[in-house]
Structure formats: C-alpha cells, structure tokens
Amino acid sequence: MLLSDGLEQRLEAYLELCVQRAQVFYELEFRYASVEFGLRGQSAGQLRFKREVPSSRWSFSKREPAIAGAYFRFNAQLLQSYQQAFIDEVVPHEVAHLVAYTVFGVGIKPHGLEWKQVMVDVYKREPNVRHQFDVPSAKRKTFPYLCGCEDRVHELSIIRHNRVSRARAIYKCRACKHDLVQPA
C-alpha cells in the first residue's frame, strides 16, 4: 500500500525520536534493524525479532540474539486511515517493547509491569495494551458442511476446513451428534 503525505517518513522520524528519548532516560543504546509496513488485520504494530543462529551456543548473552535482530512492523492501512493519531499512539507502544526487552530481558511479559513502567516513565502515556482504531472487518471465507439434521448447513472456517481435509480433526453437530461432512 502506498502511503500518502509522507506518512512513512513521519512515522520513522517519530520512532527515532522515541528511541532517542529512551536512550537519554536509560543511558543505554537501543538498536533495531528496520521498519516495515506490511502488517495487516487487527494489529496496528509489532516488534519482531530475527533470530540469528550463533556460531557457538556460548558466544552471546541470553537476550542479545533476540534484540540484535529487532525490527518494527506497522499496519499501513490503519496508518493511512488514522495518520497522526496512529503515530502518536502506536509508535511509543512498540518502541516501549524494544526498550523493555533491552533493559529488563526478553523473558518479561509483553505488556507486563516493565513495559508499563517504560510507557509511563519514558513516554508519559497510559499503558494501553490495545488500540481503539476502528478496523473494518474482512469477510472470512467459510466452507459449507452437512450433518444428520435436515436442511442444516454448518459454516466452517478455513482453519477448521483444513484440519478436516488433512484428517487432523472431526467436528460434530451439537444437535444430532453426527460428523460434519462436505457436500458431494
């Protein structure tokens, strides 16, 4: 998706400002590899880690391999729709994850006390776990299945359909207790 009005550059500039603010606060360096705009669905942003396989299992500290490959992913559709509100809310939230993992280690809960502390102390923001942006719901593909009931069709999600197709699951009708099968 093409972003208008220099949104990508505005987001990246504010992200760098958030990182610098944390560096001054903690007197530490916070590094990340890249910023991507391919996130889709309900999520507004993510901090992800590219894990490198070390040459020796003893050559690094416990948290270093995860943090070394940190990168941010953002939802371009939500950014385009909400612009400055998205930047103001989502960017500090995601940078706070990088800061919390660097300062406190990767074993912490994603939205635990450490992350909340970073949100309040560094960014002076309420530590809201979820955004309040309206996300248009996408019509999910379903597959029709039949049971022993007369004139009843069950709609299975693609995940459940794939499980049935691969013989990994059998679903039953709650009313008649018969197995659900695809129509011929």
Side-chain angles (χ1 to χ4, degrees):
M1 171 179 217
L2 286 172
L3 295 170
S4 64
D5 302 329
L7 281 172
E8 190 173 318
Q9 292 81 13
R10 286 174 35 207
L11 183 143
E12 289 179 7
Y14 190 60
L15 188 142
E16 191 56 38
L17 181 69
C18 288
V19 168
Q20 290 172 2
R21 185 176 296 166
Q23 288 178 163
V24 168
F25 186 88
Y26 286 103
E27 297 179 355
L28 288 172
E29 183 180 2
F30 301 103
R31 293 179 302 203
Y32 60 94
S34 63
V35 177
E36 300 173 4
F37 294 90
L39 190 59
R40 296 169 33 171
Q42 299 281 328
S43 296
Q46 286 181 339
L47 174 68
R48 303 286 299 185
F49 302 107
K50 293 179 184 170
R51 295 190 185 262
E52 301 289 327
V53 178
S55 57
S56 165
R57 66 183 191 150
W58 306 109
S59 65
F60 54 84
S61 72
K62 186 175 182 179
R63 62 182 140 146
E64 190 175 346
I67 294 169
Y71 65 102
F72 294 98
R73 295 179 68 211
F74 293 101
N75 186 321
Q77 183 179 7
L78 288 177
L79 174 58
Q80 186 66 48
S81 297
Y82 294 98
Q83 300 194 7
Q84 196 60 46
F86 180 97
I87 292 170
D88 292 342
E89 182 177 334
V90 177
V91 171
H93 176 117
E94 298 308 326
V95 174
H97 286 297
L98 176 67
V99 173
Y101 289 139
T102 304
V103 172
F104 302 105
V106 294
I108 63 171
K109 291 182 180 180
H111 296 109
L113 293 173
E114 299 87 355
W115 175 82
K116 290 176 183 175
Q117 179 182 342
V118 172
M119 287 295 290
V120 171
D121 292 348
V122 178
Y123 301 115
K124 312 293 186 229
R125 299 190 183 268
E126 279 293 315
N128 296 322
V129 174
R130 289 181 173 64
H131 64 78
Q132 299 299 314
F133 304 126
D134 185 33
V135 180
S137 61
K139 174 89 171 101
R140 295 196 171 121
K141 186 171 183 178
T142 60
F143 296 83
Y145 277 75
L146 303 175
C147 63
C149 298
E150 204 170 300
D151 297 327
R152 184 165 185 179
V153 177
H154 300 270
E155 298 291 330
L156 265 61
S157 69
I158 192 163
I159 292 172
R160 289 185 178 208
H161 168 73
N162 287 339
R163 287 177 184 158
V164 171
S165 299
R166 295 176 183 137
R168 292 190 175 154
I170 297 171
Y171 296 99
K172 297 184 178 289
C173 173
R174 291 182 179 174
C176 71
K177 309 294 186 219
H178 283 93
D179 292 351
L180 301 182
V181 295
Q182 277 193 290

